[in-house]
Amino acid sequence: VSLADNADKYRWLIEEELGSYEGSSQTDVTTIQGKPAIQYEIRGQVEGIPVVYLHTTIEGEGRYYQVVGWTTAERYAENKETLQEIIRSFEGA
């Protein structure tokens, strides 16, 4: 299974849990802590509240890691960099 295939599988699981799925787009993140990574911004609603997830898949030694952060869509612009800092701090790979 490739990094992209693993990312698609787990992104799909998040999308399925949303009350309403509005779309996703790949970001420009390609590495986390020097390891290959793929990140998607996923938009939808949970219990009628618009949300944005940052779903990041990181390729580690013989395994993949998922790092997921989210915020309300209304606060995404102000929280995006904090979410990215948390994701960049991942050390498990």
Side-chain angles (χ1 to χ4, degrees):
V1 175
S2 72
L3 175 63
D5 289 341
N6 189 277
D8 286 345
K9 176 181 174 183
Y10 285 96
R11 183 169 46 103
W12 179 84
L13 291 172
I14 292 171
E15 293 167 1
E16 285 294 302
E17 292 300 315
L18 293 170
S20 133
Y21 169 66
E22 296 168 7
S24 65
S25 58
Q26 189 170 345
T27 72
D28 61 358
V29 171
T30 58
T31 62
I32 299 291
Q33 299 290 340
K35 301 289 186 181
I38 294 178
Q39 183 179 77
Y40 286 91
E41 184 181 287
I42 303 168
R43 294 181 175 268
Q45 292 189 18
V46 174
E47 296 181 6
I49 299 169
V51 295
V52 180
Y53 285 84
L54 279 178
H55 174 264
T56 309
T57 304
I58 304 161
E59 186 173 343
E61 299 298 325
R63 66 189 62 156
Y64 295 104
Y65 298 90
Q66 309 295 314
V67 181
V68 180
W70 69 274
T71 186
T72 61
E74 178 179 82
R75 298 190 64 193
Y76 182 63
E78 69 186 84
N79 291 331
K80 182 177 180 180
E81 185 53 36
T82 300
L83 291 171
Q84 292 290 26
E85 286 177 21
I86 293 166
I87 292 163
R88 285 191 299 266
S89 74
F90 178 75
E91 296 181 3

